[in-house]
Amino acid sequence: MDLTEIKSKIPQSDVIDDVAELFKVLGDPTRTKILFVLERGELCVSDICECVDMTKYAVSHQLRILKASKLVKSRREGREIIYSLDDDHVSQIFDCAMVHVTEED
């Protein structure tokens, strides 16, 4: 493959910026813990707090960031808001990352 062909396949800068921003959001250990928990199923804030041993305020703040990045979604169930991963792509990204960091040389 020649360099011209490689250069022609580089995405537009706004796409590159969005991908870089996604990696920034995923780069926070607290958010990674929350995603790990949500990968196992839907949970309310209280349950997430218990799993990650954090306050409601701290978890809610991180959930807002994850939601703005389209990594998690929410739905109302009575008085509670239930959170889950936004779609299968999020789970696939997370699964690939876990396999990558836990594979042995």
Side-chain angles (χ1 to χ4, degrees), residues 96-104:
C96 286
M98 291 298 290
V99 167
H100 180 75
V101 300
T102 57
E103 70 185 0
E104 297 191 22

Side-chain angles (χ1 to χ4, degrees), residues 19-41:
V19 171
E21 187 60 34
L22 174 66
F23 282 116
K24 283 183 199 175
V25 170
L26 292 171
D28 180 90
T30 299
R31 291 189 285 266
T32 300
K33 275 189 211 175
I34 292 170
L35 290 172
F36 182 84
V37 167
L38 289 176
E39 189 175 33
R40 271 101 194 117

Side-chain angles (χ1 to χ4, degrees), residues 22-63:
L22 174 66
F23 282 116
K24 283 183 199 175
V25 170
L26 292 171
D28 180 90
T30 299
R31 291 189 285 266
T32 300
K33 275 189 211 175
I34 292 170
L35 290 172
F36 182 84
V37 167
L38 289 176
E39 189 175 33
R40 271 101 194 117
E42 297 182 320
L43 294 169
C44 66
V45 175
S46 299
D47 291 340
I48 296 169
C49 292
E50 187 173 329
C51 289
V52 299
D53 197 29
M54 293 174 60
T55 66
K56 279 188 177 188
Y57 175 80
V59 168
S60 294
H61 173 72
Q62 298 302 333
L63 285 168

